[in-house]
Amino acid sequence: MEIILEKAKIQFGLNLPFVIYKKPNATTIAGLFQKNDFLFEVIDFTEKGFVFASFDGSQTYIIPENQSERISVDYNEKETEIIQKESVLPNDSARKYFENLVSKGIQAIKNGEFSKVVLSRKETVDLVDFDWIMAFEKLANLYPSTFAYCFYHPKVGIWMGATPEQLLKVNNNSFETIALAGTQKETASKEVIWHTKEKEEQQYVTDYIVAKLEKVASEVLISAPYSIKAGSIWHIKTEISGVLNSGSSLQEIIQLLHPTPAVCGFPKDKSKAFIVENEHYDRTFYTGYLGELNSSFSADRISSHLFVNLRCMEIDFVSKHEITKVNLYMGCGITKDSVPEKEWEESINKSATMKRILDCRF
């Protein structure tokens, strides 16, 4: 694994784009190392490489396979120790601002504007001597069942995360996706109990995805919902799979699904407009999507394997040797039964996913 991490360090020092990533429960870490600093854009989704797309769809970039060196190495898990620190919470004004935003979303739902909206916030943490390569190692170790990645382009910045949510997997004409919603912090109890709010939120996501896929698929299969843990957070998950129509394009499918109600709301257009008007910050690549696009990297056949960019952070640089600020992003699904104070607590719990890598060591 050290080979690919050292390659990433060198690439970063040369101001050249790269991505390193580990798929859920994988035994390898893969990487694409671009040989120039050109910012390639996805045009028609027939391109091959690693795609990195924004929430609003205005930025869809790719590290192309034909412009890059590909590397895959064995993943060696390390024992990770969490250093117990007193959590530093955002200030009271940040709490009040987010709770007011949630209240506004609840009122819009009650007014009939939409059924669900996902509202988010950004939290900035100041750091000294932050080792981003070690941070990626920690992500891969702490969250083995997620898609862990580190993406860098000198014209975009550096992002990393450990997302539990798959957007879409396509092999030939077969597809897989999931509906993921509902959030609950891990407790000592062995049984996870979901309330009406979380169940309704999950059903919105499932119904939306199925309705969209039925337009482009000849067969859609839906599993029963079940609980799944990502880090210290529980979610409700439903698996959706099937067979695509012969005339359906990858671009069409992605545009139908993204952004899903799990990161935007339902109906999509109205909830998205509310987000853009009221969040008062630019999500950029948070709640966008990323992953292998038409790649033959990890399989004998061409496939696409895309994930939603959740549980992520953006690293701001002052210089190549000092990283001063890390932007964390977290969002909450809002329905008519939401309680602003509880949604704030949920956002705090979600921020712990990234903060844990700042408070651990090998």
Side-chain angles (χ1 to χ4, degrees), residues 9-279:
K9 287 182 182 179
I10 294 171
Q11 194 85 348
F12 177 72
L14 295 172
N15 284 325
L16 291 175
F18 71 87
V19 62
I20 52 178
Y21 60 96
K22 176 184 169 295
K23 289 186 176 183
N25 302 311
T27 58
T28 59
I29 290 180
L32 276 176
F33 300 89
Q34 195 171 307
K35 298 176 182 178
N36 54 60
D37 66 354
F38 189 82
L39 185 60
F40 292 94
E41 295 188 45
V42 173
I43 305 299
D44 59 9
F45 289 82
T46 62
E47 297 85 353
K48 296 182 179 181
F50 190 98
V51 65
F52 196 66
S54 63
F55 164 71
D56 64 5
S58 65
Q59 302 172 82
T60 307
Y61 303 127
I62 190 168
I63 297 181
E65 284 189 8
N66 62 6
Q67 300 286 334
S68 306
E69 179 183 359
R70 304 191 307 180
I71 297 178
S72 180
V73 299
D74 291 338
Y75 164 66
N76 304 314
E77 186 176 351
K78 293 183 179 180
E79 185 176 345
T80 308
E81 177 188 359
I82 303 295
I83 303 170
Q84 296 299 326
K85 288 185 178 180
E86 184 177 349
S87 179
V88 178
L89 298 177
N91 59 42
D92 195 53
S93 62
R95 177 185 61 80
K96 290 180 180 178
Y97 185 88
F98 187 70
E99 289 179 0
N100 287 337
L101 175 63
V102 171
S103 296
K104 192 172 183 179
I106 295 170
Q107 188 58 53
I109 292 170
K110 291 179 178 179
N111 292 343
E113 295 180 30
F114 37 75
S115 301
K116 173 189 172 180
V117 64
V118 179
L119 299 174
S120 70
R121 65 182 181 89
K122 180 171 76 171
E123 181 180 338
T124 301
V125 179
D126 293 333
L127 299 171
V128 178
D129 299 326
F130 179 64
D131 187 332
W132 57 271
I133 283 289
M134 186 174 290
F136 171 75
E137 282 192 88
K138 291 174 182 177
L139 278 179
N141 275 272
L142 283 174
Y143 308 115
S145 63
T146 69
F147 181 82
Y149 78 92
C150 178
F151 176 95
Y152 170 68
H153 196 293
K155 298 171 184 176
V156 174
I158 185 164
W159 286 71
M160 68 175 66
T163 176
E165 184 167 347
Q166 177 178 276
L167 177 67
L168 180 68
K169 184 177 183 180
V170 177
N171 285 310
N172 295 328
N173 66 335
S174 64
F175 71 87
E176 299 174 16
T177 186
I178 65 169
L180 190 76
T183 300
Q184 192 173 139
K185 188 176 182 180
E186 181 183 19
T187 65
S189 174
K190 294 182 180 180
E191 184 180 5
V192 182
I193 299 174
W194 297 102
H195 301 290
T196 300
K197 185 262 181 184
E198 291 88 359
K199 291 178 180 179
E200 285 186 350
E201 183 184 348
Q202 167 68 7
Q203 197 61 50
Y204 284 136
V205 178
T206 302
D207 291 346
Y208 170 86
I209 292 174
V210 170
K212 291 296 183 181
L213 288 172
E214 285 178 340
K215 297 178 181 179
V216 295
S218 58
E219 181 182 355
V220 179
L221 304 176
I222 309 165
S223 77
Y226 61 94
S227 299
I228 185 172
K229 189 169 72 167
S232 60
I233 302 294
W234 284 96
H235 300 288
I236 309 173
K237 179 178 179 179
T238 301
E239 297 175 359
I240 304 168
S241 61
V243 178
L244 297 169
N245 297 329
S246 58
S248 299
S249 69
L250 181 60
Q251 181 176 12
E252 180 183 12
I253 299 161
I254 292 172
Q255 289 177 344
L256 281 175
L257 292 177
H258 174 75
T260 74
V263 299
C264 183
F266 181 81
K268 179 166 68 174
D269 291 342
K270 291 183 178 180
S271 57
K272 186 176 179 181
F274 184 88
I275 289 168
V276 172
E277 182 179 350
N278 292 281
E279 279 191 343

